[in-house]
Amino acid sequence: MKKREVLASVKDERLVQKRRDQMIKGAVTLFKEKGFHRTTTREIAKAAGFSIGTLYEYIRSKEDVLYLVCDSIYDHVSERLEQDLEQKKGTLSSLRLGIGHYFRVIDGMQDEVLVMYQEAKSLTKDALPYVLKKEMEMAAMFESLIMRCVENGELQLSEKQVKLISHDIIVEGQMWAFRRWALQKLYTLDEYIDLQTEQLFHGIKREVTIAKDRSEN
């Protein structure tokens, strides 16, 4: 699916990105406090540090800002995971590293993640399918990391198991943001990453043992 274009009248791409980053930061705080529908574009402009007229040089609607918030999360995650994919190691160590990178991105964008899931229903009909597809692409990146481990003999998993584990990783990372009111009182980020990763690997080994027992019987 083609990336949804957010039109801007300014031609300087670096300036566009800078101003949109400012918008995203201001909008996330407002959306979290007031919700998408009760937040005005004038408030977003003020929070971003410029006038309403300047705001409309970089977007066309409030929905554009919400879309940019969602898209920025996936861009950050993709950048980190692609670094691991490029290594093409296919080891449990590289998988562990990829999981850690993902969790740290979520930690750095906790408010954005919360806003995305609270307000995604407010995205326009052309933007929502794109954002949902990006979520699937993020899971697919973990599928690739896990499949390389399978191909190298590090893991023994079926295709369905690989897909489910990839979605498990996505949810476990997001849980750090969704349930931060409880989890972050109990664990540091490093502790959370280590515990979730160990639990995930333990679950994988258990699945392999069950599958082996079934085949022998």
Side-chain angles (χ1 to χ4, degrees):
M1 185 178 291
K2 185 179 179 182
K3 189 179 180 76
R4 180 180 181 274
E5 184 179 5
V6 177
L7 298 176
S9 58
V10 176
K11 303 304 179 185
D12 185 334
E13 292 185 5
R14 285 186 296 180
L15 182 59
V16 169
Q17 188 60 54
K18 179 181 177 181
R19 292 288 184 256
R20 285 180 174 174
D21 286 343
Q22 291 173 296
M23 279 183 227
I24 289 169
K25 185 176 180 181
V28 164
T29 300
L30 290 167
F31 292 164
K32 188 179 69 168
E33 293 175 354
K34 302 180 63 174
F36 174 77
H37 291 292
R38 289 195 297 151
T39 298
T40 67
T41 50
R42 190 172 297 278
E43 288 172 325
I44 294 173
K46 183 179 179 181
F50 39 77
S51 69
I52 186 70
T54 299
L55 181 87
Y56 282 115
E57 291 179 359
Y58 300 95
I59 59 161
R60 292 292 177 267
S61 68
K62 186 170 67 172
E63 287 76 12
D64 282 346
V65 181
L66 180 57
Y67 168 79
L68 291 171
V69 170
C70 296
D71 204 40
S72 68
I73 296 171
Y74 298 119
D75 284 345
H76 279 79
V77 172
S78 296
E79 286 171 11
R80 294 302 296 269
L81 290 183
E82 281 172 0
Q83 293 174 10
D84 298 305
L85 287 171
E86 286 170 5
Q87 292 179 14
K88 300 180 180 179
K89 289 184 177 178
T91 64
L92 293 182
S93 295
S94 65
L95 176 58
R96 184 184 293 272
L97 187 64
I99 293 170
H101 283 341
Y102 167 62
F103 280 26
R104 292 183 194 285
V105 170
I106 295 297
D107 178 65
M109 304 185 76
Q110 293 179 44
D111 288 342
E112 288 89 337
V113 172
L114 287 171
V115 165
M116 181 183 71
Y117 279 96
Q118 289 171 353
E119 305 295 348
K121 59 184 180 295
S122 300
L123 287 166
T124 56
K125 290 182 178 179
D126 62 323
L128 182 57
Y130 171 78
V131 169
L132 294 177
K133 183 175 182 292
K134 294 285 278 189
E135 177 103 349
M136 294 301 293
E137 288 176 355
M138 194 160 61
M141 287 187 173
F142 278 110
E143 281 185 43
S144 295
L145 285 172
I146 298 166
M147 280 304 300
R148 284 181 182 169
C149 292
V150 173
E151 291 164 1
N152 286 345
E154 295 270 320
L155 295 172
Q156 292 179 316
L157 297 167
S158 68
E159 184 178 347
K160 285 188 175 182
Q161 287 173 321
V162 170
K163 288 183 179 295
L164 182 58
I165 291 166
S166 70
H167 285 283
D168 284 343
I169 293 169
I170 298 298
V171 173
E172 286 167 4
Q174 293 166 348
M175 189 167 71
W176 180 248
F178 294 156
R179 296 190 61 80
R180 62 186 180 183
W181 56 272
L183 293 173
Q184 294 179 28
K185 293 177 182 177
L186 298 171
Y187 312 106
T188 65
L189 176 60
D190 287 339
E191 288 172 337
Y192 183 76
I193 291 172
D194 288 342
L195 286 167
Q196 287 286 22
T197 305
E198 288 306 318
Q199 185 170 299
L200 175 71
F201 282 14
H202 177 75
I204 291 173
K205 291 175 183 177
R206 183 173 178 275
E207 288 292 332
V208 171
T209 301
I210 291 172
K212 184 177 179 181
D213 289 343
R214 284 175 178 170
S215 65
E216 289 176 351
N217 294 329

